[in-house]
Amino acid sequence: MVRSMTGYGRAKQSRNGRNITVELRSVNNRYLDCTVKMPRAFIFAEDAIKNLVQKGVGRGKVDVFITVESAGAEETVVTVNESLANSYVAVLKQLRTIAGECVTPTFQVTELARLPDILTITKAEEDLETISADLCAVAEEAIAAHAAMRETEGKRLAEDVLSRAETISNLLSRVEERAPGIVEDYRARLTAKLQEVLGNTQIDEGRILAEAAIYADKVAVDEETVRLRSHLSQLREMLEQGGAIGRKLDFLIQEFNREANTIGSKCSDIETSRLVVDIKAEIEKIREQIQNIE
């Protein structure tokens, strides 16, 4: 299956009291570049998330966004500093003794709780492995959605490339059909020119045939058309095979251009030159499309 480098995937789950959302967004890139953006408290799971992305994505600029909302998962523990509380109580009793009947102090437990460092609030210890597993589980679902979108886009890309490859094949057939006529036209023009210059003088037919043969060798594009058709066949096979073929296609399309340029340089015929221009235009459109293929 051909996959595009451009895609988006999203997943949201509630796991162990946390609402976890993972989003993936990818665009074209020469190599895999993965960036994970997540709350700092969960940064310990970043490498695990990146490893999952590397297994599912071969090439592209991938941004992963992770949000975590607590829904009672983080239990808090309140502890009393008993020794400090006893010290406060003893001091308060001492003050009451000193004050005697001058004042009538009132004392409540809530007031004692407000005194510095009497109560300590801490978060319960969390299981980092469980949290990492939860994040990875949601990330896997997002990566699957991302892959499905890339495959859908990749199918459209492959269809477009194959359509343009068929157009190139048809144009190439027209170039091959015109090739024999180019030599005949040259021979006719050469004969007419010699007759115009030499007048009634006998024209050496053997010399004309030799010149035509030399010209035919110069403008022969049989090797180039055969190689270009071979490249077209290879292109179809690679698209059918699928997988991470983007770089291979990039190299192959360079060979397309090389053969097309050679055909254009050999043929001075106007109609053939126009066909070559059309071929090169289709090759350029294919090159633009394969920049999106993984």
Side-chain angles (χ1 to χ4, degrees), residues 27-58:
V27 294
N28 303 352
N29 202 48
R30 294 180 60 187
Y31 52 88
L32 178 60
D33 181 10
C34 179
T35 302
V36 179
K37 299 179 182 179
M38 61 197 307
R40 188 172 183 82
F42 303 97
I43 202 70
F44 57 85
E46 181 178 0
D47 288 341
I49 299 296
K50 284 187 175 181
N51 288 336
L52 287 176
V53 173
Q54 289 173 357
K55 291 178 182 179
V57 181

Side-chain angles (χ1 to χ4, degrees), residues 161-162 164-166 168-169 172 223-239 248-263 279 283 286:
V161 170
L162 288 173
R164 298 188 184 283
E166 185 63 25
I168 292 175
S169 179
L172 204 55
E223 294 182 5
E224 287 76 14
T225 56
V226 168
R227 283 196 293 267
L228 190 48
R229 289 197 179 279
S230 175
H231 296 333
L232 287 169
S233 176
Q234 188 176 359
L235 174 67
R236 296 186 184 98
E237 291 175 1
M238 292 171 67
L239 290 173
K248 292 181 180 179
L249 289 174
D250 194 36
F251 288 123
L252 182 62
I253 210 66
Q254 294 179 32
E255 298 301 316
F256 273 60
N257 272 316
R258 183 175 290 108
E259 302 303 337
N261 288 333
T262 303
I263 294 173
I279 289 174
I283 292 174
I286 291 177

Side-chain angles (χ1 to χ4, degrees), residues 76 129 208 231:
T76 56
E129 291 186 2
I208 292 178
H231 296 333

Side-chain angles (χ1 to χ4, degrees), residues 1 10 15 18 34 48 57 59 69 80 87 109 130-131 166 186 208 210 224-225 238 246 255 293:
M1 178 69 70
R10 185 178 187 273
R15 302 178 69 89
R18 295 180 182 83
C34 179
V57 181
R59 194 160 65 110
E69 297 177 357
V80 179
S87 297
V109 175
T130 299
I131 297 174
E166 185 63 25
Y186 174 78
I208 292 178
E224 287 76 14
T225 56
M238 292 171 67
E255 298 301 316
I293 295 177

Side-chain angles (χ1 to χ4, degrees), residues 111-129:
E111 293 176 347
L112 178 62
R114 294 192 187 100
L115 294 175
D117 301 325
I118 290 296
L119 301 180
T120 302
I121 302 175
T122 58
K123 291 182 179 180
E125 186 175 349
E126 297 178 325
D127 187 346
L128 300 185
E129 291 186 2

